[in-house]
Amino acid sequence: MEIIKTQIPDLLIVKNRFFKDERGFFMEHYNKKQLAEHNIHIAFCQDNLSQSSYGVIRGLHYQLAPHAQTKLVSVIVGRVWDVAVDLRKGSPTFGQWVGIELSDDNKTHFLIPQGFAHGFSVLSETAIFSYKCDQYYNQPAERGIRFDDPALAIDWRIPTDQAIVSPKDKIHPDFAEAEMNFNFISH
Ligand SMILES: Cc1cn([C@H]2C[C@H](O)[C@@H](COP(=O)(O)OP(=O)(O)O[C@H]3O[C@H](C)C(=O)[C@H](O)[C@H]3O)O2)c(=O)[nH]c1=O
């Protein structure tokens, strides 16, 4: 397992080994002990799976503390552009975001700590997105930030004016308005 830092502390790229042979490939998709060897100790409690078509954007979503979720995200089929935004008060990277391509080809995981908003755009015809969370879904604690907030200026790598988004994702406040919700303390 290789852990790669990003320009935002605690937001990490996780590369697991995978073994190819004439049948295909094998990989340990999640290994608690190997993460612990990198001093990453997360008590995941829920696995999620979603399928989306090209042009879908899901996000930007987060849950308020104490229901904020750490997410270990990956793509089982297809390609997505995955984005995490730092919402942690006092963080030197507050309001900054990192984007990464996750795909069935690169078999890469993105470890997104509590206190981040998360979203992704689908770059392939279809994408199956799989991720672990360390807090259960709590709908009353769910909040969002509009994915196309000009202040964030996220490059979703697809034409956002044609993005396929849920009705709720069309009406989230922008970052500045949502900021009053942020109740995450930077570590
Ligand atoms: C997230 C979630 C949703 N649901 C139900 C609620 C709705 O009836 C239905 C679809 O939910 P939603 O439209 O919120 O799904 P996404 O837009 O993929 O939401 C996710 O999108 C971004 C990318 C995230 O990181 C979050 O995990 C999550 O907010 O599943 C559940 O039953 N459990 C859950 O954990």
Side-chain angles (χ1 to χ4, degrees), residues 81-158:
W81 181 250
D82 200 80
V83 175
V85 187
D86 191 353
L87 310 180
R88 300 169 299 176
K89 287 186 176 167
S91 167
T93 51
F94 178 76
Q96 294 183 30
W97 58 270
V98 168
I100 180 176
E101 182 169 319
L102 302 176
S103 70
D104 53 22
D105 183 51
N106 68 27
K107 298 180 181 58
T108 296
H109 283 73
F110 198 23
L111 182 58
I112 304 166
Q114 296 178 3
F116 282 73
H118 174 241
F120 63 87
S121 60
V122 179
L123 307 176
S124 51
E125 185 180 339
T126 187
I128 295 179
F129 195 79
S130 165
Y131 54 113
K132 303 181 102 56
C133 304
D134 69 344
Q135 291 289 334
Y136 293 109
Y137 173 61
N138 184 293
Q139 195 284 326
E142 259 198 321
R143 296 295 185 277
I145 299 168
R146 58 180 281 204
F147 63 91
D148 58 352
D149 182 352
L152 293 175
I154 293 170
D155 174 6
W156 290 103
R157 306 204 167 184
I158 59 168

Side-chain angles (χ1 to χ4, degrees), residues 5-156:
K5 292 183 179 177
T6 68
Q7 60 265 41
I8 296 183
D10 311 321
L11 190 58
L12 301 171
I13 297 166
V14 180
K15 303 282 285 183
N16 294 311
R17 293 189 308 170
F18 62 94
F19 305 91
K20 279 189 164 183
D21 63 28
E22 66 278 5
R23 299 166 298 171
F25 76 89
F26 176 90
M27 71 183 291
E28 293 180 3
H29 203 235
Y30 167 72
N31 186 309
K32 183 176 180 178
K33 180 169 172 283
Q34 286 190 14
L35 285 171
E37 288 165 359
H38 291 272
N39 199 27
I40 297 171
H41 307 277
I42 302 165
F44 290 112
C45 62
Q46 180 178 314
D47 274 12
N48 293 337
L49 197 63
S50 67
Q51 176 174 321
S52 311
S53 310
Y54 172 77
V56 163
I57 294 179
R58 293 180 185 252
L60 293 160
H61 302 157
Y62 62 99
Q63 292 192 165
L64 297 174
H67 305 285
Q69 297 169 311
T70 299
K71 296 166 189 168
L72 180 60
V73 306
S74 68
V75 167
I76 305 296
V77 171
R79 293 169 53 227
V80 310
W81 181 250
D82 200 80
V83 175
V85 187
D86 191 353
L87 310 180
R88 300 169 299 176
K89 287 186 176 167
S91 167
T93 51
F94 178 76
Q96 294 183 30
W97 58 270
V98 168
I100 180 176
E101 182 169 319
L102 302 176
S103 70
D104 53 22
D105 183 51
N106 68 27
K107 298 180 181 58
T108 296
H109 283 73
F110 198 23
L111 182 58
I112 304 166
Q114 296 178 3
F116 282 73
H118 174 241
F120 63 87
S121 60
V122 179
L123 307 176
S124 51
E125 185 180 339
T126 187
I128 295 179
F129 195 79
S130 165
Y131 54 113
K132 303 181 102 56
C133 304
D134 69 344
Q135 291 289 334
Y136 293 109
Y137 173 61
N138 184 293
Q139 195 284 326
E142 259 198 321
R143 296 295 185 277
I145 299 168
R146 58 180 281 204
F147 63 91
D148 58 352
D149 182 352
L152 293 175
I154 293 170
D155 174 6
W156 290 103

